[in-house]
Amino acid sequence: MNVRRTAAASAAVVLPLALLTACGGTGPDDAAGGGDVVLTLAHSYTEDQPQHVCGAQVIKEEAEAADVGITVEVYPNSQLGGDADRIASVQASDVDIDIQGASALAAVYEPAGVVDAVYVFDDAAHLARFFADGSADQLAADFKEASGGVSILGAWSAGARQFTADRPIREPADLDGLRMRFPGSAQYLLNAQALGAEATEVAYEELYLALQQGVVDGQENPLTNIHASNLVEVQEYLSMSDHGQNSNLIVAAPSYDAELDDDQRAALDAAVAAAVERMPGCVDEAEQEILDAWAQEGAVEIVDDVDQEAFAERTDAWFQENLQGDSLVVYEAIRGSAQ
C-alpha cells in the first residue's frame, strides 16, 4: 500500500541506512548496528505483479511484524531508477534492498548472469533450492566481494519464460528465419545463440510496437510480462517452452552488515525467506488466471507440445562448449544441483 507523505517525510526515507542509524542517537554502539532504521526496498515491477504483491510487500510486512525496529518503504515501478542505476545505489548503500534479475547483477559480477541461462534450472523449485541449500554460497561470496559488500539474501523465479511468435515454435529448427527479440544483456544474447535464435535487441518499452510493425517476428518473456504489455494482441502463437526461469535475486546493501544488529538481520532474512516461500503459489495463480483468460477470449493459440528436451540438450551442449572460467563453474554447479 502506498502511503501519502509530506515532502520532508518522503525525502527522509531515501537517505542511506547508515545516515539514518547515525541520526537515531543510539549511542556508542551505533557502529555495531541497532536502533530503529528505515530501509528502502526498490524494484522495477508494477504493483499488481507477483514480485510486488508476494515479494516486496511480504518482505515489508514480515520484517516490520518482527518488531525489531525495522520499517521498510517499498518503491516499485523503477521509482528509484532502472536496474543499472539501482545496483549502483545498492553498492553505495543509498538503496538498502533491491529485487534484481541475475542478468542485471552480471554488470557487477559477470558469472552471476549464468543464473539466467536457458534450461540451466529444471524448474522454479530448482532455482529456489539452489539458493537456499548452500549450493549458491560460492557464487554469493564471489558476488559480495566483487560488488563491495552487497549480499544476496535469497532468490525466486517469477515464472518460466515462453516464446511468442507469428508461427508456432515446437523445436529448435522452428526458430530458423525468425527475428526474435531478446533483452540486450550479455547473458540473454548468449541464450539466443544457445537456442539457435536470431537475436534482435529491442527495448522492452518498445516491444509491442516492434511486434506490431514487424520489426521482430517474436519474443520471449514470462507470462506475467507478456500479459502486462498485451503482447498477445500482436502475436498469433504462445509456445510453452519453459526455456528459462525469470530470476529475481533479493540483494542487500553493505549497510546490511555494517548497520543492522543481529536481530534485525535475522528478521530481514526471515522476511525474505517468507517471500521466497510465498512466490511459487502466487506466480502459479497469476499465470493460470492469465492462461484461462486468453483461452476463453481466444486471444492467442497456445502451443503446449514444445519439445523442451530437444531445446535443453542443444543449449546444454552449447554452454558446456562456450562458457569459460567462473561462468562455467557456476553453470556446472547449478546443473549439478538438479534432482
Side-chain angles (χ1 to χ4, degrees):
M1 177 181 295
N2 288 331
V3 181
R4 298 179 65 86
R5 303 181 182 82
T6 65
S10 296
V13 299
V14 297
L15 289 172
L17 184 153
L19 180 57
L20 285 164
T21 306
C23 292
T26 56
D29 292 330
D30 281 349
D36 291 349
V37 294
V38 178
L39 306 180
T40 57
L41 192 166
H43 63 78
S44 59
Y45 305 98
T46 63
E47 292 174 79
D48 60 353
Q49 286 185 281
Q51 292 96 325
H52 180 80
V53 177
C54 296
Q57 286 296 100
V58 169
I59 293 172
K60 170 182 171 65
E61 293 163 5
E62 294 287 331
E64 292 178 352
D67 196 23
V68 291
I70 291 177
T71 299
V72 179
E73 298 290 351
V74 180
Y75 292 84
N77 291 310
S78 299
Q79 291 179 27
L80 299 187
D83 288 347
D85 295 327
R86 292 201 319 275
I87 188 55
S89 296
V90 172
Q91 289 178 278
S93 291
D94 292 331
V95 169
D96 301 304
I97 311 164
D98 198 8
I99 300 173
Q100 287 265 11
S103 292
L105 299 181
V108 175
Y109 180 61
E110 183 177 351
V114 175
V115 171
D116 279 338
V118 288
Y119 292 108
V120 68
F121 290 104
D122 291 347
D123 50 28
H126 182 191
L127 186 152
R129 187 173 66 251
F130 178 73
F131 282 92
D133 69 3
S135 300
D137 286 356
Q138 189 61 54
L139 171 60
D142 292 342
F143 177 80
K144 189 168 187 174
E145 180 179 1
S147 63
V150 177
S151 299
I152 298 174
L153 303 186
W156 60 62
S157 169
R161 300 180 76 90
Q162 317 291 356
F163 291 124
T164 69
D166 56 11
R167 70 188 191 206
I169 299 171
R170 292 187 170 90
E171 58 185 34
D174 292 333
L175 289 169
D176 292 347
L178 287 179
R179 296 163 297 174
M180 297 292 292
R181 180 269 179 182
F182 281 78
S185 71
Q187 183 59 52
Y188 279 104
L189 296 179
L190 290 178
N191 287 348
Q193 293 182 57
L195 289 163
E198 178 184 340
T200 301
E201 294 183 45
V202 175
Y204 181 72
E205 296 76 14
E206 301 170 3
L207 181 52
Y208 183 100
L209 188 60
L211 291 165
Q212 185 180 51
Q213 295 182 343
V215 175
V216 290
D217 303 309
Q219 62 85 48
E220 53 87 53
N221 257 298
L223 296 179
T224 53
N225 286 10
I226 295 169
H227 177 261
S229 295
N230 298 314
L231 299 185
V232 295
E233 293 179 355
V234 288
Q235 296 277 263
E236 294 185 41
Y237 296 92
L238 167 70
S239 297
M240 302 295 287
S241 52
D242 289 358
H243 60 265
Q245 297 300 318
N246 200 52
S247 70
N248 288 150
L249 277 63
I250 304 88
V251 296
S255 49
Y256 166 84
D257 290 311
E259 305 298 339
L260 297 183
D261 64 27
D262 290 344
D263 289 341
Q264 290 167 336
R265 279 192 293 273
L268 188 55
D269 291 347
V272 170
V276 169
E277 184 175 356
R278 185 83 61 88
M279 278 294 291
C282 191
V283 170
D284 287 348
E285 181 179 352
E287 291 189 337
Q288 193 59 56
E289 288 179 0
I290 290 168
L291 288 170
D292 289 345
W294 284 343
Q296 183 175 359
E297 298 162 4
V300 67
E301 185 168 338
I302 299 173
V303 180
D304 58 9
D305 59 345
V306 177
D307 189 348
Q308 296 180 9
E309 185 175 347
F311 276 111
E313 289 177 355
R314 175 193 171 98
T315 55
D316 182 61
W318 193 93
F319 285 127
Q320 293 284 1
E321 181 178 350
N322 289 278
L323 291 179
Q324 299 178 350
D326 289 342
S327 293
L328 181 58
V329 170
V330 173
Y331 182 86
E332 291 177 337
I334 296 173
R335 291 307 308 144
S337 67
Q339 290 184 346

